[in-house]
Amino acid sequence: MAERFSNRDGSHQTSLGLYRVGSAIVSPKHGHALLLHGLDRGVNDGALRREVIIHSADYVSAEFIAAHGRLGRSWGCPAVSRDDMARVIELLADDGLLYVAGA
């Protein structure tokens, strides 16, 4: 469970708050992904500059959990399973809303 959150460049931490989901892109590292535009000044408005995106990852899977006893962690990006990424793009791309809440 994430315990620290930040809007600061290089923090490798997620920013809380409301986002407008932007265009579908292809990330060189993660493949199909979605841009995020933070809507909360001083809380997540650095998301686009920080290149915080929704992307899929192998560490979001039952296989990873079985091998490591937990999900993996991104460096601040919301990550979903590879199997779910196409549906996430379909539902949120081009003006969907995403709210990231802490515990």
Side-chain angles (χ1 to χ4, degrees), residues 4-95:
R4 293 183 305 243
F5 306 92
S6 177
N7 193 34
R8 193 182 80 238
D9 287 333
S11 69
H12 299 167
Q13 295 173 0
T14 298
S15 298
L16 299 176
L18 184 63
Y19 294 86
R20 181 179 59 78
V21 181
S23 304
I25 62 166
V26 177
S27 162
K29 183 175 181 180
H30 300 291
H32 295 287
L34 291 166
L35 295 174
L36 291 175
H37 304 269
L39 300 177
D40 295 318
R41 181 177 288 170
V43 176
N44 66 10
D45 58 346
L48 194 61
R49 178 185 72 250
R50 292 176 58 207
E51 299 178 4
V52 176
I53 58 175
I54 299 175
H55 64 79
S56 64
D58 291 333
Y59 53 78
V60 183
S61 67
E63 294 81 13
F64 189 95
I65 293 169
H68 301 278
R70 62 171 177 79
L71 285 171
R73 296 188 180 183
S74 76
W75 282 6
C77 295
V80 300
S81 72
R82 297 219 184 266
D83 292 340
D84 292 333
M85 192 65 214
R87 182 76 171 140
V88 170
I89 291 171
E90 179 184 329
L91 292 171
L92 296 177
D94 300 319
D95 291 332

